[in-house]
Amino acid sequence: MMTPNLFYIDNEMWQFELVFITRLLLALLLGGLIGMERQRKKGKSNSAGFRTHILVTVGSCLFMLVSVSMPMVVSSMPSGIVNNADPGRIAAQVVSGIGFLGAGAILQGKSRVHGLTTAASLWVVAAIGLAVGAGLCLTATVATVMTFIILTWFSHLEDKAEAIMEKQAMIRRNRCLTEECEEIAKIE
């Protein structure tokens, strides 16, 4: 009598797992880069910083690794055990789950909504983790660099644009005050 294989894998699965571990480590590094920027930008008050971004990236990478390895795992099982395995479902659920996490990062204050950029960065690192898990390491690395640039350099552009808009608003207010003063002087 043949003893059942409780893990349903063959002896060569460890080679794939070494590749998967390398992908998980890359996901850790890429998520950590974005997480460090968010931690630096917002400090301790940030709802999602260094560790959260790493966990999202590594977690989504792991989900994708399970997803892409599903055909191999299913083919090694005795027939009839799994008949409806759909690897695409796993990655799709990461997208749904990250929406929940992102919603938790968004806070509404009296006159402003805070955390939208953090929620968006969580969404991106989930996608980066999925890309690494799928073996798209160069694409994930480029996406990480792009995200880092957006979060750092574009922040400075945004600050400059806000300063220009505030200056223009002040000029308009001063103009209006001057025009009001002139109208009042005409009336008197």
Side-chain angles (χ1 to χ4, degrees):
M1 180 172 165
M2 190 171 135
T3 56
N5 184 348
L6 297 177
F7 298 107
Y8 300 115
I9 58 173
D10 57 25
N11 291 334
E12 295 177 14
M13 186 69 168
W14 67 270
Q15 294 169 338
F16 291 107
E17 291 203 45
L18 289 177
V19 171
F20 291 173
I21 290 168
T22 304
R23 290 180 186 178
L24 285 169
L25 291 171
L26 178 61
L28 181 144
L29 291 172
L30 298 178
L33 180 66
I34 302 303
M36 277 193 313
E37 192 286 329
R38 297 314 302 157
Q39 191 76 37
R40 181 193 61 79
K41 180 80 174 174
K42 302 290 183 182
K44 290 284 186 184
S45 67
N46 195 359
S47 57
F50 181 65
R51 292 178 299 158
T52 305
H53 281 77
I54 290 174
L55 288 171
V56 167
T57 311
V58 169
S60 61
C61 178
L62 184 58
F63 279 121
M64 184 53 100
L65 291 171
V66 169
S67 191
V68 299
S69 63
M70 192 66 70
M72 184 175 24
V73 172
V74 169
S75 69
S76 68
M77 291 181 180
S79 63
I81 290 184
V82 175
N83 58 6
N84 65 347
D86 180 7
R89 289 187 201 172
I90 297 171
Q93 294 308 312
V94 171
V95 176
S96 298
I98 204 64
F100 176 78
L101 251 173
I106 299 171
L107 304 171
Q108 184 174 2
K110 291 181 181 179
S111 63
R112 264 185 97 175
V113 176
H114 299 279
L116 290 174
T117 304
T118 299
S121 68
L122 287 172
W123 181 69
V124 170
V125 296
I128 289 168
L130 288 173
V132 171
L136 304 171
C137 298
L138 180 59
T139 302
T141 302
V142 169
T144 301
V145 170
M146 290 171 61
T147 304
F148 188 79
I149 288 169
I150 290 166
L151 291 173
T152 55
W153 297 353
F154 285 27
S155 176
H156 298 299
L157 292 174
E158 196 173 45
D159 292 343
K160 287 180 182 181
E162 281 183 28
I164 290 169
M165 290 188 315
E166 285 178 21
K167 189 175 181 180
Q168 289 174 345
M170 186 186 310
I171 291 170
R172 280 193 299 267
R173 280 193 300 267
N174 287 340
R175 228 181 260 150
C176 289
L177 288 175
T178 304
E179 290 171 4
E180 286 176 17
C181 290
E182 288 174 1
E183 286 184 26
I184 293 172
K186 287 180 189 176
I187 295 173
E188 292 178 352

